[in-house]
Amino acid sequence: MESATPVIVAIDGPAGTGKSSTSKAVAAQLGLSYLDTGAQYRAITWWMVSNGIDIDDPSAIAAAAGKPEIVSGTDPEGPAITVDGVDVAGPIRTQEVSSKVSAVSAVPEVRTRITELQRSIAASAAQGIVVEGRDIGTTVLPDADLKIFLTASPEARAARRSGELKGSDVHSTREALIKRDAADSSRKASPLAKADDAVEVDTTELTLAQVIECVVTLVEEKRAGK
């Protein structure tokens, strides 16, 4: 069997749509690299918090945006992320980082820095890559071979997300998700938006296995048609 053409897949959508689980599983199944762009924004946010940068001061965030060295592993079976050589896979998932990541992500200098990092990782993926985030199809990789936009009802997303976040109740999680969506959709730099040429997949009524199967099929069709 000849090696398949490398394919760049962009998967966007708000939190709680099954984006990470789907992206990792699809990449693993098809032998592609995987990049969680949200983890990169969390990593730079973690660094800002750890270094006492005032999160309410965009100019302070902008001034520090170039300082941390962020390295993302692209193995879907175990995606690693380090900042200045420190493994931050755990620390970046705390509530403190979650509550501040939108503010840090909205700063244009941060987006420029992280976007460049994402593009270089995608360009160097020999077999192809699944890149998941919020602005991949629109801003980061507008020429991606396949763009997918995952959606789900706020209720379904809150139930999934509160299952991930131990000890959080569905109602407060739903409120937080809606607030985060509003912040991400209205920011000036690369807002959360569906690309015109993206395939929308509503995951509200689907199991994770069904979502994965759907996306794998889309990628295989794209590969076959290239």
Side-chain angles (χ1 to χ4, degrees):
M1 177 180 152
E2 59 188 272
S3 65
T5 318
V7 61
I8 293 180
V9 183
I11 300 186
D12 290 304
T17 50
K19 215 169 37 184
S20 293
S21 308
T22 300
S23 301
K24 275 188 274 205
V26 169
Q29 209 168 311
L30 296 173
L32 304 173
S33 296
Y34 161 75
L35 179 62
D36 174 357
T37 64
Q40 296 176 312
Y41 284 107
R42 285 174 171 275
I44 201 165
T45 302
W46 173 86
W47 185 92
M48 298 276 175
V49 171
S50 303
N51 285 275
I53 307 295
D54 182 357
I55 301 301
D56 297 320
D57 181 355
S59 60
I61 293 173
K67 293 181 179 173
E69 186 193 4
I70 298 167
V71 178
S72 295
T74 57
D75 177 0
E77 306 284 359
I81 184 154
T82 62
V83 180
D84 297 336
V86 178
D87 177 0
V88 295
I92 63 171
R93 301 291 168 188
T94 61
Q95 192 54 50
E96 184 181 24
V97 171
S98 296
S99 66
K100 297 185 165 118
V101 69
S102 283
V104 174
S105 304
V107 176
E109 288 80 357
V110 169
R111 298 208 77 78
T112 299
R113 163 91 204 281
I114 301 291
T115 296
E116 284 171 0
L117 185 59
Q118 291 162 0
R119 285 177 180 157
S120 67
I121 291 169
S124 61
Q127 305 303 313
I129 190 167
V130 177
V131 183
E132 60 127 320
R134 282 166 147 72
D135 65 336
I136 310 306
T138 50
T139 302
V140 181
L141 300 168
D143 297 328
D145 300 303
L146 176 63
K147 300 175 188 178
I148 294 168
F149 195 84
L150 296 183
T151 61
S153 70
E155 289 70 26
R157 292 165 48 212
R160 289 172 194 162
R161 188 37 73 97
S162 61
E164 292 168 18
L165 301 167
K166 307 280 180 286
S168 61
D169 69 284
V170 175
H171 178 74
S172 63
T173 302
R174 180 177 180 273
E175 297 301 308
L177 283 177
I178 290 171
K179 191 175 164 193
R180 172 101 195 259
D181 289 350
D184 289 349
S185 302
S186 61
R187 67 167 177 245
K188 290 186 174 65
S190 311
L192 165 67
K194 174 177 175 268
D196 293 339
D197 53 349
V199 179
E200 187 165 325
V201 179
D202 187 334
T203 70
T204 306
E205 304 292 335
L206 302 178
T207 63
L208 179 58
Q210 288 171 320
V211 179
I212 293 165
E213 186 184 1
C214 171
V215 174
V216 164
T217 302
L218 288 168
V219 177
E220 286 178 331
E221 284 172 357
K222 179 57 74 171
R223 270 181 165 173
K226 284 189 82 167

